[in-house]
Amino acid sequence: MSEEESPATRVAIGISFGNSYSSIAYTTEDGKAAVIANEEGDRQIPSILSYVEGEEFQGTQAKAQLVRNPKNTVAYFRDFLGQDFKSIDPTPCHQSAHPLQHDSTIAFKIQDTAEDTENIVTVSEITTRHLRRLRNSGTDYLGKAVNAAVITVPTNFSDAQKESLKKAAKDADIEVLQFIHEPVAALLAYDARPDAKIADKIVVVADLGGIRSDVAVIASRGGMYSILATAHDYDVSGTQLDQVLMDHFSKEFIKKHKSGGDPRESDRALAKLKLESEAVKKSLSIGSSANFSVESLSNGLDFTSTINRTRYELLASKIFAAFTRLVLHAVEKANLDPLDITEIILAGGSAHTPRIASSIVSSFPASTAVLAPSTSPTAINPSELAARGAAIQASLIQEFESEDIEQSTHPMVTVTPHLARAIGILCISGDESSGVFRALVEAETAVPVRRTAIVATPREGGDVLIKICEGRREIKVTKSTPKAKDKKGTVEEDDDSEDDYDSEEEEDEVREKTWKVEKVLAEAALRGLKKGAKVEVQVNVGHDLAVTCHVREVGGKGGVRGGWQAPGVANGSA
Amino acid sequence: MAAVNIALPLPVLPEGWSAEKDFKAVGELTHATDRNIEPVGPHFLAHARRKRHKRTFSEDDRIQAQSNVKKVEDEDAGEISEPEDPLMLQRDAKDWKGQDHYAVLGLSKYRYRATEDQIKRAHRKKVLKHHPDKKAAAGSTEDDSFFKCIQKATEILLDPVKRRQYDSVDEGANIEPPSKKDTQKGNFYKLWGRVFEAEGRFSKNQPVPKLGNDKSTKEDVEHFYNFWYNFDSWRSFEYQDEDVPDDNENRDQKRHVERKNQNARRKKKTEDTTRLRKLVDDALALDERIKKFRQQEHAQKNKRRFEKEAEAKRLAEEAAKAKEEEARLKAEKEAAEKAEKAEGKKAKEAAKNAAKKNKRVVRASVKEANYFHGAGDAPAAQIDGALNDADLVIAKIDNEELAALTSRLNGKKDASEIKQIFVDEVKRLIDAGKLKDGEAKFLSA
Ligand SMILES: Nc1ncnc2c1ncn2[C@@H]1O[C@H](COP(=O)(O)OP(=O)(O)OP(=O)(O)O)[C@@H](O)[C@H]1O
Ligand SMILES: [Mg+2]
């Protein structure tokens, strides 16, 4: 078997490999990404393997084994890759095979053959088997043997974890063309849509998964992405929501069947409870109520119940609030304000939950677009974002030699100076005598960069000044005083003046984004403009932060050119 | 990327602006931040093509390029820094109300100051260490009691409402006020500053003013104590509630316990308010600045009083002086007046005497002139008439005229000459309207 496929014989897919679910995707002839359904018709394939008398089950079938055969069922293992026992959290594996220390790695003791013996199977081997099943599903669907992939990983996946995953993939006959970060894959999936416009924006990707949630704040500048901050949380996640429903239905069950016992106290009942609760939770993302129905839940008693969405949202309100706080925390870590956020992409399975989306909407200003199924009709299925992004990247690079890809992703290429401040021009506005700043190049833009603006001129035309400056965004806060109060008399209201005071304290504050000019970089003059003329201003920042600019009348010839040096270069050397 | 459209107009070129080729550079860009661009998407590929430009990069290049990159991932969770008390590790999770949640998570140093993020990280570190599966793997019995303590602590500290209830009664965050003795060793600001900082955590109004130091202004100190005497505390005591029985059987009992709890909460709240007030009283009493300000105020007052008194004295002195001066002037004036008067009297006397003398001369000259009778003894009527007329003239003239008349008469022996002088004088008086024609018929011509 060859080490690497040559580009010509590559068949590449995108793989999103989560602790809870995995997905595979490919790119169609016309360049659209699509998620592949496996033999069972699943596009979200549980990342679970189970062994029954030597037979291997994967995905939904394996998940079902959590009830009858938990000991030989392996789940929630991705994050164990490349880690030592000391640094893993085994909690998610309580109801399946427990992770064990094995040399410097993690393994599971399972009966994975027809023999009646327990074998030590490393997490790497489990991963290989899981990836092989994914690869086979891809091969079946595409009709040609998949042999390469772009795989998504969390932003805090260590080099050791990536190395380990790469090896596991290789053992499954998959050449990893590239690892890409999950939130960036999600962003790419959106930006690759044909109607998408490339713009300078700040995007938050909130990936709300099964056993972890990850938030990334990304500067998207001319189609290139730089991560400004991340936040990770291993508690606020989908299983916490499952737990809310498990507790709820357990209590209902106990209320109904006094002698039935607490289903949470038996492993088997607990497993059934969990599977059904997750199903109920998913139904509540679409419907306004859902049925819970488990045969022989506990002590041989069947149990059916219904719950409506309002009730669920009440029970889970604290967890929903925690999701929102996590997103806000990431914004804070990036030293940004909610007003700076252009859009929030909700990714991951839990992003289907309408209440999570709506509470994020209400924590951000109206100018922030929240892309989730319940808030935007054009949102992409959040469970598919990572796999789709990976498939798009795979299609972009599958033609390249591995060495080429390696060199292109080298830090010499990726590490780039990013502007500390925005570059823009001063314009005239009625209410500000000193001029208002308008940005051409936003802060956190990687250099080299070129941006152009078309600017209006005074009504009469004539001579104009183009002042190029650095600007810094500021948040202006104004407390709105209630109008009604101003009008109120002062005499007759002595008794309730205190209440008035309180209500005033809760008064909304209006927050807005403004610009502060930090320093003037250059001045240029354009003379004799025609009435109603427009001016084109072009700014070029070099890789060394030297700047050139060109201003001219739109439609006119010549114009004025000039430039200045990079910071730190002695003046007057020219 | 497409050009941005900016609707606001450019400014008009200021009068007198000029530059070579109409362009001048003024400043340079602020230094940039090194960051990783994500090697993803079509635009990145274009960037990579430009940047690689048929070059290849080595491992050394990699290290060099990454040396200044801004990190976006937090450092590894790392080791738990706070030592774990062996007794704590043996705690029973059932007794969670009595447990120090911050200590359980290794956050004793931070307590109410711990951020949500810190709590989450601390939790994760503890989970990684104390997960029962790991203990089992290490051969010890599968005792998950402390693990449950960790979960309980996290549950409470990550729930804003429950955390506040716990923080309300978190003894570990209290800082006892120092004794009077300790305070007086000159540590007032350090010792009490900490106390107030700890108490400040209960304030609904943040930020809480700081105690300050001996250089604080009077306004700041006053503001500080005002704040503390009007402290608005969120502290509450439901965490110390007695458990309410959870069965529906005994409703009365349930209600009873609930009521008891309500009362206990209220009582504790009142006690806490009193406690804080006393604490502020104590601090105030020990605060040297208060004394200082009082002294200063006192001194100020005294100074003002002194000034006032001095002024009064000065005014009194001035008044006395003025009075003296006045008296002196008056005396002088009186003396002068007296002198003058005396002088006048003398003169008058002299004049009077002179006049008397003069009158005598006048009268004598009448006799000398033989009463204007010519030769021989003059008859009595003539004598009387002449003397009467002379007296009449004397009466009609003042002393000066009298003197003049006298000097003219002086030494004159000739009767006609004398008569002529009298006739002239009478004529003058008649002319002056002082005498009527014929009134002094003995002296007329
Ligand atoms: N329609 C839905 N509504 C609500 N929750 C859903 C829905 N679909 C999936 N989920 C939940 O999303 C979670 C899985 O998310 P995702 O598919 O992103 O997993 P993952 O990437 O493997 O996450 P992790 O690695 O954190 O476990 C599960 O808790 C699942 O129950
Ligand atoms: Mg995920």
Side-chain angles (χ1 to χ4, degrees), chain A residues 18-21 209-212 238 278 281-282 285 348-350 352-353:
Chain A
N19 288 293
S20 306
Y21 292 88
I211 61 165
R212 57 183 287 172
E278 190 188 355
K281 177 185 74 173
K282 289 183 184 177
S285 290
S350 300
H352 287 279
T353 314

Side-chain angles (χ1 to χ4, degrees), chain A residues 17-22 44 47 76 78 182 207-213 238-239 242 278 281-282 285 348-350 352-353 383:
Chain A
F17 168 31
N19 288 293
S20 306
Y21 292 88
S22 297
Q44 278 73 53
S47 303
Y76 303 110
R78 185 203 60 189
E182 289 168 344
D207 179 357
L208 315 173
I211 61 165
R212 57 183 287 172
S213 289
T239 39
D242 297 341
E278 190 188 355
K281 177 185 74 173
K282 289 183 184 177
S285 290
S350 300
H352 287 279
T353 314
S383 295

Side-chain angles (χ1 to χ4, degrees), chain A residues 272-392:
Chain A
K272 288 183 178 175
L273 189 61
K274 186 166 163 53
L275 283 181
E276 185 67 2
S277 292
E278 190 188 355
V280 166
K281 177 185 74 173
K282 289 183 184 177
S283 305
L284 286 172
S285 290
I286 309 167
S288 58
S289 73
N291 290 322
F292 176 98
S293 171
V294 175
E295 272 176 36
S296 179
L297 176 58
S298 180
N299 281 354
L301 293 162
D302 297 349
F303 183 60
T304 58
S305 180
T306 59
I307 183 170
N308 64 29
R309 196 192 277 177
T310 316
R311 184 75 196 274
Y312 165 58
E313 289 176 349
L314 205 65
L315 293 170
S317 62
K318 277 185 181 170
I319 301 165
F320 294 152
F323 274 111
T324 306
R325 279 206 304 279
L326 183 64
V327 176
L328 289 169
H329 177 57
V331 173
E332 204 182 291
K333 276 175 92 176
N335 286 322
L336 293 176
D337 187 273
L339 282 167
D340 293 316
I341 310 303
T342 324
E343 59 191 40
I344 300 175
I345 294 175
L346 291 193
S350 300
H352 287 279
T353 314
R355 196 50 191 255
I356 292 179
S358 66
S359 62
I360 289 175
V361 167
S362 53
S363 296
F364 279 81
S367 55
T368 307
V370 176
L371 302 176
S374 61
T375 55
S376 161
T378 57
I380 300 173
N381 181 349
S383 295
E384 298 190 349
L385 284 167
R388 285 200 197 205
I392 291 156

Side-chain angles (χ1 to χ4, degrees), chain A residues 82-120:
Chain A
Q83 300 241 64
D84 60 1
F85 190 66
K86 210 174 82 224
S87 42
I88 65 155
D89 175 9
T91 312
C93 301
H94 272 185
Q95 290 161 263
S96 56
H98 290 203
L100 306 167
Q101 179 158 15
H102 178 72
D103 299 333
S104 61
T105 167
I106 315 287
F108 299 90
K109 204 188 251 180
I110 48 172
Q111 210 177 310
D112 62 337
T113 60
E115 308 303 92
D116 201 10
T117 51
E118 287 190 319
N119 298 315
I120 302 280

